[in-house]
Amino acid sequence: WRAHFYEAARRATSLDNMDAEAHTMLARAYQTVAGQPENAIAEAKQAVSINPFNAMANSILGVLLGIGAARFDEAIPWVEKAVALNPLDPRQHVYMYQLSLAHLGAGRPETALSYLREAIRHAPDNMDNIEHQIVLASILGHLGRTAEALRAIESVADKARDYITGHIMFAPNLKEVILEGLRKAGLPEK
């Protein structure tokens, strides 16, 4: 399916080079399928330049800059703009989670925790998501709240390190920040 996604996104931009959605999808394809983060960022910037009011395009640009390229402080305004553009967007929990990761990567775990709690408030079922449990534990580890961190990760502790190191969207710097939080939380090394 990945190859089809990449080809469909390339074809969509060739059919209409002024379609912001097509450029947004090509940006995602460059990141997740082709492993070309700089091309992904360029496509997302193109999408935003075509339609600066497209919340998803702004969010994707923020994700690519922050989560994908570890340019955390550069990423935050793009995701904040996505939130402001569409405050009733059902994806608010996604934007809040993206902001949480960007602030964690930028060394602001208290702010990261605030955004993660907001993401959970918007979509409480996501707390069953392994990634959210791992990130929560990491943030709490960075804050020195080890007992809470270990409770947060208890059910997925054996999978946590492999999950983060194998994550295709996370920049190496972000992976290390998350893993460092898990170490601070007391999660044993393999």
Side-chain angles (χ1 to χ4, degrees):
W1 70 266
R2 291 179 189 257
H4 294 296
F5 174 51
Y6 179 70
E7 287 308 317
R10 288 184 55 84
R11 180 157 164 67
T13 57
S14 72
L15 291 171
D16 184 356
N17 197 39
M18 293 305 292
D19 183 339
E21 291 292 326
H23 285 281
T24 300
M25 290 303 105
L26 185 54
R28 294 195 61 169
Y30 272 131
Q31 178 72 18
T32 60
V33 178
Q36 299 175 20
E38 290 308 314
N39 286 341
I41 291 168
E43 286 297 327
K45 285 181 176 180
Q46 179 68 18
V48 169
S49 73
I50 292 168
N51 183 356
F53 304 104
N54 182 316
M56 180 58 78
N58 281 275
S59 168
I60 293 297
L61 179 55
V63 166
L64 294 170
L65 289 168
I67 296 169
R71 292 158 48 185
F72 305 112
D73 287 323
E74 190 179 344
I76 291 168
W78 294 105
V79 181
E80 287 175 338
K81 184 177 177 185
V83 171
L85 284 170
N86 194 353
L88 300 178
D89 190 327
R91 296 175 296 231
Q92 282 294 318
H93 68 283
V94 174
Y95 303 152
M96 296 299 130
Y97 181 64
Q98 293 165 352
L99 287 166
S100 176
L101 288 172
H103 282 285
L104 177 61
R108 294 184 289 273
E110 196 68 55
T111 305
L113 181 59
S114 175
Y115 277 112
L116 184 58
R117 292 207 189 283
E118 188 65 14
I120 293 165
R121 186 183 72 74
H122 281 282
D125 291 343
N126 278 357
M127 210 41 230
D128 292 335
N129 177 319
I130 183 175
E131 187 174 312
H132 287 73
Q133 292 172 329
I134 294 168
V135 171
L136 176 60
S138 176
I139 292 169
L140 293 168
H142 281 289
L143 293 171
R145 294 161 60 177
T146 56
E148 284 177 83
L150 290 173
R151 276 194 308 277
I153 202 169
E154 188 174 33
S155 66
V156 296
D158 59 326
K159 304 173 197 150
R161 292 188 192 287
D162 289 340
Y163 182 88
I164 294 302
T165 57
H167 201 294
I168 61 171
M169 287 291 288
F170 288 176
N173 303 29
L174 180 57
K175 289 178 185 183
E176 186 47 44
V177 168
I178 294 169
L179 292 171
E180 178 63 23
L182 296 177
R183 281 191 285 279
K184 288 178 177 181
L187 187 70
E189 298 285 337
K190 278 191 163 186

